[in-house]
Amino acid sequence: MEISPFFCLTIGLVLVFPAPSSLADPDLLQDFCVGDVNASITINGFPCKPASEVTPDDFFFDGLSREGNTSNQFGTGVTLGNVLSFPGLNTLGISMNRVDFAPGGLNPPHSHPRATESGIIIEGRLLVGFVTTGNVFYSKVLTAGQMFVVPKGLVHFQKNVGEGKALIFTAFNSQLPGAVILSTTLFGATPAIPNDVLTKAFQVEEDVINEMKAKFGP
Ligand code: GLV
Ligand code: MN
């Protein structure tokens, strides 16, 4: 069989420039690197606290053991277990949240630019859904013990559709997944996104935009 120069070039490029193998945070180069989250230098992640100052407490975090405050406009309390609250996660590429829901509570549509999310229902009954980049909406009502996954970067939400409270824990393949909450991002940015951008984007009158800004503004 004759092998064309184009085939050789393609194989050569694949070998020299393999596809990136990491779909989330970069891999670690040492056992751990407890983050010095108040360091004055900035790097991609956080510099390591000196090993001599690392204590057992750096690897334990009880912030997710307490019920979050759901007395807000959404009826939801999101408690973050990311590198900022739990610096022992630095460079390990993972984090978790706890989300408490009052009856009817909504974790509003948002996306995580740096992570895929998986979650488990601990209590209650929730409608869980996400939308693909092709605008296909996938959703299901889940109860205790059932899991869900949200592919990286896609817009998703959870709504308590049960009678009582609900509780989920979520996990991410990033130490700091980030959250773009659509309502607050678009209508609560500082400085504000100009009204003519938003009226054109949503094809509504300015008073609708002003109402949204009053609800979600800083
Ligand atoms: C749920 O969607 C979460 O981001 O914790
Ligand atoms: Mn989420």
Side-chain angles (χ1 to χ4, degrees):
M1 188 185 77
E2 203 170 302
I3 297 176
S4 77
F6 177 72
F7 178 77
C8 293
L9 179 66
T10 307
I11 294 294
L13 286 175
V14 167
L15 291 176
V16 175
F17 302 111
S21 62
S22 171
L23 288 172
D25 289 4
D27 213 350
L28 61 167
L29 301 175
Q30 58 227 330
D31 284 357
F32 57 78
C33 167
V34 176
D36 179 356
V37 294
N38 298 314
S40 51
I41 59 161
T42 47
I43 59 167
N44 191 20
F46 296 97
C48 311
K49 186 170 156 176
S52 57
E53 291 173 22
V54 170
T55 71
D57 278 350
D58 286 316
F59 302 108
F60 301 94
F61 176 64
D62 71 355
L64 304 192
S65 62
R66 289 176 291 281
E67 186 171 351
N69 181 6
T70 58
S71 306
N72 53 56
Q73 62 197 140
F74 298 120
T76 309
V78 182
T79 310
L80 306 173
N82 61 31
V83 68
L84 298 175
S85 51
F86 184 9
L89 295 179
N90 193 40
T91 72
L92 301 183
I94 55 168
S95 58
M96 292 186 75
N97 286 347
R98 168 186 178 132
V99 191
D100 289 275
F101 299 82
L106 170 73
N107 189 10
H110 64 280
S111 72
H112 304 286
R114 293 183 286 275
T116 291
E117 167 178 332
S118 70
I120 183 163
I121 315 315
I122 304 298
E123 180 191 349
R125 201 162 165 268
L126 293 130
L127 174 68
V128 175
F130 70 84
V131 184
T132 69
T133 56
N135 292 338
V136 180
F137 174 44
Y138 292 97
S139 71
K140 191 165 182 175
V141 172
L142 300 180
T143 54
Q146 298 186 309
M147 280 186 74
F148 61 89
V149 68
V150 179
K152 183 173 182 170
L154 298 189
V155 172
H156 61 285
F157 67 87
Q158 302 96 25
K159 182 165 196 311
N160 183 357
V161 292
E163 300 289 311
K165 292 180 185 177
L167 170 64
I168 65 174
F169 284 91
T170 50
F172 304 89
N173 60 345
S174 170
Q175 67 178 24
L176 193 58
V180 176
I181 302 167
L182 302 188
S183 46
T184 48
T185 296
L186 290 171
F187 300 105
T190 310
I193 299 177
N195 276 8
D196 63 320
V197 172
L198 295 169
T199 51
K200 189 126 184 140
F202 289 99
Q203 298 288 294
V204 293
E205 300 299 324
E206 199 160 11
D207 55 346
V208 177
I209 299 302
N210 286 335
E211 191 182 336
M212 300 289 268
K213 284 186 169 174
K215 282 193 167 70
F216 300 110

